[in-house]
Amino acid sequence: MSRTAVMEGSFAVAEAVKACRPEVIAAYPISPQTHIIEELSKYVADNELSSKYVRADSEFSAASIVYGSSGTGARSYTASSSQGLLLMTEVLYAMAGTRLPVVLTGVNRTVSAPITIQPDHQDTMALRDTGVIQIYVENIQEAYATHIQAFKLAEDHDILLPVMVCMDGWILTHTFEPVKIEEQELVDKFLPPFVPKYRLDPKNPLTYGSYGDDEVPEFRYMMHFAMEKAKTKIQLIAEEYKEIFGDYFGGLTEAYKCEDAEIILVAMGSVIGTIKETIDQLRSEGKKVGVLKVRTYRPFPAEEIFEIVKNAKIVAVIDKSISVGQGGQLATDIKAALINKKTPPLVYSCIAGMGGREVNINTVKYIINKSENSLITNQVPDIDYIEIKRQYLE
Amino acid sequence: MKEIRIHGRGGQGSVVTAELFGRAAFQGGKYCQSFPYLGGGGERRGAPVQAFARISDEPIRIRTKIHEPDYIIVKDITLLHIIDVAAGIKPNGMIIVNSEKSADELNFDKSLNVKTVPATKIALEILGFPIMNTALIGAFAAITREFDIEAIKKAISEKFNGEIAEKNILAAQTAYDFVNKGENIYSQKKP
């Protein structure tokens, strides 16, 4: 039987990872990721989890350790945040390029400077081009389920790419709420032991990451092709999870009250819950509004997004990060998804929630109000910095 | 949905208080969400901190800090001079203050619904140290009836073991009984 108990988001993730029986866990602590790996190290120390746990001397080492262990065919896991994730960057490119299915949690926290521990998406956005699959989750139950699905996805022989589950630091990792923890037997049924396609084996020597002067385009193409295949696989795995456990959180996207919506908000992560709450309030006032949750950011589900927003008049995209010198990454990708379509909706790019600045019901209402005004004037600002404190800029 | 904001100082266990509010509500058959606000100095011992809890009959989706609480818990009266603890309180909201003094003595605005409970005194008598979280939750349950003492006992037993659990249950029960008997409880009702 599954059990439902009140627990912290970090512990729920640790429970999910434990249930997946990783053979190697390597990590270096950083807020707000720490509680996840702390709990996992406790499971190992208490013999609740048979796994090699390595407290590395840096995130670069932690990533390198799971890179190596995954190469030997061991199911491997790590987690980090903020500059810790950035210190892993070089290794993440290598992992994806050598097609090693490490699962990691990207506990979202902004990047210095200025230094703060508050959450936004700046850290994982910096990793979007590594070849690591990125799935952003809305709540703790979804974080739990997505970790279990992540191993199955990463290790699929058609995919073989690292998978990062991105969850907002503090907002999800340090919140306590009821979480359904699944029966180990069912998790084992859903996720059998990892069977590597290739592995480092002294009896059958092979090389990972060898020199390749003229092969780079083909390797990049194959990674991109695997990402494309992941679009179907992610949905199949989400459905299979639903069959076994009864919970479904969407595959690539989740559309909430979008069918007849004239204004659709698009966002990722924990802010979706607050937006849904606002949408329900505005719907009761007769406003035709909806929200589209982008779960899978890489691979980017451009076609699916177009199908959901094609009949809307305006799409307001909330980015909790910025590509300095360009704008919101998600908004840029949404614009790219719509550019060659006939009569696409307007796209209104909003930068909000950076450095943990709260996106609350009033923030969402403000964005919807501006969207309504844009429909009247038929003019959309190129980029809107929501609730920026002008007095700091002088 | 009922929203609770807890004001304390770093080291007083405000995060655990919020967690126990959630656990007790869940044991009482409700949905819950408890979370801290960390940062801005909130991780330092002695600094003013806030923690939050939501209790609802429906699943809880919203993930913002609580700006318009139904209930406000003040663990340390020295905060009253530096923070507007009543900020945003709902029209029928209530403030529960850990103090042996009355609301009048603490100079609360007359328009506010304030109750004081000597939670630290109870904690010192039963636990031997001034960690008043469980006493406050016992008093909260008796005052608000959002969940009952049995739910609190289950919540404490989930979180703590052995003697610590037993003593904390006793602290919660003592504060609960205190309020129910109307002893030593000072309230300030709206005019």
Side-chain angles (χ1 to χ4, degrees):
Chain A
M1 279 285 286
S2 65
R3 63 184 171 94
T4 301
V6 174
M7 68 179 73
E8 202 191 52
S10 298
F11 291 0
V13 170
E15 282 276 359
V17 172
K18 180 178 78 167
C20 294
R21 304 182 189 276
E23 292 162 276
V24 177
I25 301 165
Y28 186 79
I30 180 171
S31 286
Q33 152 264 35
T34 315
H35 285 187
I36 297 174
I37 59 155
E38 199 174 80
E39 193 67 3
L40 283 168
S41 70
K42 188 167 161 285
Y43 294 147
V44 175
D46 293 349
N47 287 325
E48 283 180 54
L49 171 62
S50 172
S51 181
K52 178 71 184 169
Y53 185 95
V54 187
R55 217 303 296 276
D57 61 6
S58 73
E59 289 85 356
F60 182 85
S61 301
S64 300
I65 290 162
V66 291
Y67 176 40
S69 61
S70 185
T72 68
R75 182 170 286 162
S76 304
Y77 172 82
T78 187
S80 195
S81 293
S82 189
Q83 27 277 331
L85 281 170
L86 299 192
L87 194 52
M88 290 183 171
T89 309
E90 180 183 345
V91 189
L92 293 178
Y93 270 95
M95 268 181 211
T98 50
R99 310 295 296 275
L100 291 172
V102 171
V103 169
L104 65 154
T105 311
V107 176
N108 286 105
R109 166 184 153 184
T110 197
V111 178
S112 292
I115 191 164
T116 167
I117 57 172
Q118 298 306 319
D120 67 24
H121 293 168
Q122 198 70 42
D123 52 357
T124 52
M125 275 294 160
L127 304 173
R128 66 177 182 172
D129 300 334
T130 52
V132 176
I133 289 171
Q134 286 194 348
I135 303 175
Y136 289 74
V137 298
E138 172 189 342
N139 57 47
I140 297 171
Q141 191 71 60
E142 184 181 351
Y144 176 86
T146 305
H147 277 84
I148 295 174
Q149 294 176 28
F151 282 99
K152 199 175 179 75
L153 174 67
E155 293 168 4
D156 189 292
H157 286 190
D158 286 341
I159 310 298
L160 291 175
L161 285 171
V163 177
M164 185 190 304
V165 182
C166 304
M167 66 189 294
D168 288 315
W170 308 113
I171 301 170
L172 294 182
T173 51
H174 286 63
T175 290
F176 286 79
E177 57 189 40
V179 185
K180 185 170 136 230
I181 301 299
E182 304 295 353
E183 200 182 343
Q184 183 65 53
E185 205 176 302
L186 287 182
V187 177
D188 290 339
K189 186 180 156 198
F190 176 80
L191 182 72
F194 172 37
V195 181
K197 194 168 182 181
Y198 310 102
R199 66 185 190 91
L200 291 172
D201 177 3
K203 289 175 192 154
N204 182 23
L206 51 85
T207 302
Y208 275 80
S210 60
Y211 200 75
D213 252 350
D214 192 39
E215 289 81 9
V216 172
E218 287 72 26
F219 271 81
R220 290 276 186 271
Y221 172 82
M222 286 191 287
M223 287 162 71
H224 186 70
F225 190 64
M227 277 269 187
E228 286 296 317
K229 281 198 281 194
K231 288 182 185 174
T232 310
K233 203 69 81 172
I234 288 164
Q235 295 177 76
L236 290 174
I237 289 172
E239 278 156 25
E240 195 181 331
Y241 189 91
K242 187 187 173 192
E243 270 174 38
I244 293 184
F245 303 109
D247 292 335
Y248 182 73
F249 299 95
L252 306 173
T253 60
E254 183 203 335
Y256 184 77
K257 303 195 175 175
C258 289
E259 298 81 19
D260 62 340
E262 292 177 355
I263 299 169
I264 295 180
L265 266 63
V266 184
M268 303 196 293
S270 64
V271 73
I272 295 289
T274 303
I275 298 175
K276 284 177 178 169
E277 203 68 33
T278 318
I279 295 292
D280 283 359
Q281 284 186 19
L282 295 174
R283 280 269 169 186
S284 70
E285 296 167 17
K287 289 186 191 293
K288 289 188 173 177
V289 290
V291 57
L292 169 61
K293 167 166 101 179
V294 176
R295 287 190 80 231
T296 308
Y297 182 59
R298 287 292 180 270
F300 191 70
E303 276 306 314
E304 182 159 308
I305 289 169
F306 171 70
E307 286 302 318
I308 292 163
V309 306
K310 65 183 179 187
N311 295 321
K313 291 181 178 166
I314 186 165
V315 175
V317 185
I318 297 177
D319 268 289
K320 290 174 86 172
S321 60
I322 184 165
S323 174
V324 180
Q326 161 60 11
Q329 293 94 332
L330 180 60
T332 304
D333 286 346
I334 298 278
K335 286 174 186 171
L338 303 179
I339 192 69
N340 286 332
K341 306 293 183 186
K342 281 180 190 165
T343 63
L346 296 169
V347 177
Y348 168 37
S349 168
C350 305
I351 307 289
M354 284 197 297
R357 186 162 299 172
E358 185 172 271
V359 178
N360 55 38
I361 286 179
N362 287 336
T363 320
V364 179
K365 284 183 175 170
Y366 170 86
I367 290 169
I368 288 173
N369 190 259
K370 289 264 286 201
S371 302
E372 289 171 327
N373 290 342
S374 292
L375 287 176
I376 294 166
T377 60
N378 207 29
Q379 279 190 328
V380 187
D382 280 341
I383 186 165
D384 200 357
Y385 300 92
I386 305 300
E387 290 166 0
I388 198 108
K389 292 179 181 167
R390 296 279 163 196
Q391 68 270 28
Y392 288 0
L393 307 179
E394 285 156 16
Chain B
M1 182 161 67
K2 293 291 170 61
E3 297 184 304
I4 304 161
R5 189 171 70 211
I6 299 158
H7 292 275
R9 287 184 179 277
Q12 287 184 322
S14 298
V15 178
V16 175
T17 309
E19 177 191 341
L20 286 171
F21 269 112
R23 287 188 184 277
F26 181 70
Q27 291 296 345
K30 296 187 178 188
Y31 290 94
C32 64
Q33 182 196 68
S34 310
F35 56 102
Y37 174 69
L38 297 170
E43 288 176 303
R44 288 180 311 209
R45 183 165 288 266
V49 298
Q50 292 181 18
F52 308 90
R54 292 188 168 97
I55 299 172
S56 176
D57 295 326
E58 308 288 327
I60 300 164
R61 295 181 299 188
I62 190 166
R63 292 192 187 275
T64 61
K65 281 181 267 181
I66 291 168
H67 303 288
E68 294 176 0
D70 297 274
Y71 302 113
I72 293 168
I73 311 288
V74 182
K75 301 173 82 171
D76 188 329
I77 56 168
T78 64
L79 292 168
L80 298 175
H81 310 296
I82 50 174
I83 288 171
D84 177 14
V85 296
I89 189 168
K90 284 209 179 81
N92 295 319
M94 182 190 287
I95 304 175
I96 299 173
V97 185
N98 168 32
S99 178
E100 293 178 52
K101 293 181 179 170
S102 71
D104 266 348
E105 286 176 274
L106 294 173
N107 291 320
F108 272 97
D109 190 298
K110 295 284 178 219
S111 66
L112 295 167
N113 186 1
V114 181
K115 290 188 188 302
T116 64
V117 180
T120 298
K121 187 171 176 238
I122 293 169
L124 281 170
E125 279 168 13
I126 294 170
L127 303 171
F129 41 83
I131 300 297
M132 80 311 277
N133 304 314
T134 42
L136 271 174
I137 293 173
F140 174 87
I143 293 166
T144 68
R145 307 282 162 187
E146 292 292 345
F147 41 76
D148 62 20
I149 189 70
E150 292 310 313
I152 296 174
K153 287 178 183 173
K154 285 180 193 165
I156 293 172
S157 302
E158 273 187 348
K159 177 74 182 168
F160 302 107
N161 296 317
E163 197 190 354
I164 293 176
E166 281 168 28
K167 282 190 171 178
N168 275 288
I169 286 172
L170 185 59
Q173 181 79 58
T174 304
Y176 185 83
D177 293 343
F178 240 93
V179 173
N180 280 339
K181 283 183 204 152
E183 279 179 39
N184 210 7
I185 296 295
Y186 306 98
S187 49
Q188 173 181 292
K189 288 262 163 57
K190 283 186 185 182

